[in-house]
Amino acid sequence: TNSWSEKNYVSYEKLSQIAPTVVLDFPDPLQRDWTKLLKNLAVILDKTEEADALITEYWQRIESIKLALGDRRSQLKISVANTSQDLGIWVYGEKHPVGMILNDIGLQRPEPQKGNFYYISNISPEKLSMIDGDILFFLVGKEDQEDQKLLEQLQQKPLWQRLKVVQENKVYFVDEEYWHSIDIFAINAILDDIEKYLVNTP
């Protein structure tokens, strides 16, 4: 279990009656350094060598993507955005784990998304240019029909159609389930998307 779920959903006392239970520090919003959580979990499970290997593999993938992108890394401005009932239209900052991955690769961000913050929410339609860029990764919840409707409504707005990234057909819809997560499986899935759309897509 973790500190977030312990507070909001389950009881440590009840879980510890079923099996040995460990509480991890899993802050909300998510901490920037996902490797710290992985290493803490590895110590508990006595899997430190495996964790070190996974982190090494991450950096190998980062270097491979850097090499494949070449000088494009310093030119491409990568936007990451989402829409939901609670937060409206929002963009991700450099403090979010996704921002960390993009920084590790050396990719650039649009000006409104630069800075040591997790995200900016409730962006008005008039400020939709905040999500513009050379590439837009737009997070989509596959199971949330209400959020899907919000996205469809957003795509009908004239201001959406005027975005450079929309006109150039460089909007890529990705699964928010792992773009919001910080476990190693999610991290690798994000790298898969980055390779798919930035390296392998003409």
Side-chain angles (χ1 to χ4, degrees), residues 72 75-78 131-136 159-173 197 201-202:
R72 294 176 64 214
Q75 301 167 0
L76 287 175
K77 293 184 179 180
I78 309 300
I131 76 170
D132 208 353
D134 298 313
I135 301 288
L136 169 58
L159 289 174
W160 169 273
Q161 301 295 332
R162 294 175 192 167
L163 294 175
K164 180 189 73 172
V165 72
V166 173
Q167 294 176 356
E168 295 182 356
N169 197 29
K170 295 294 184 180
V171 181
Y172 302 119
F173 297 99
Y197 295 116
T201 299

Side-chain angles (χ1 to χ4, degrees), residues 176-189:
E176 72 173 13
E177 182 175 351
Y178 55 82
W179 278 69
H180 268 304
S181 301
I182 58 171
D183 63 74
I184 188 62
F185 302 105
I187 297 297
N188 279 314

Side-chain angles (χ1 to χ4, degrees), residues 82-90 121-123 150:
N82 199 346
T83 184
S84 66
Q85 297 180 74
D86 297 332
L87 298 175
I89 303 167
W90 44 313
S121 59
N122 293 309
I123 296 171
L150 288 174

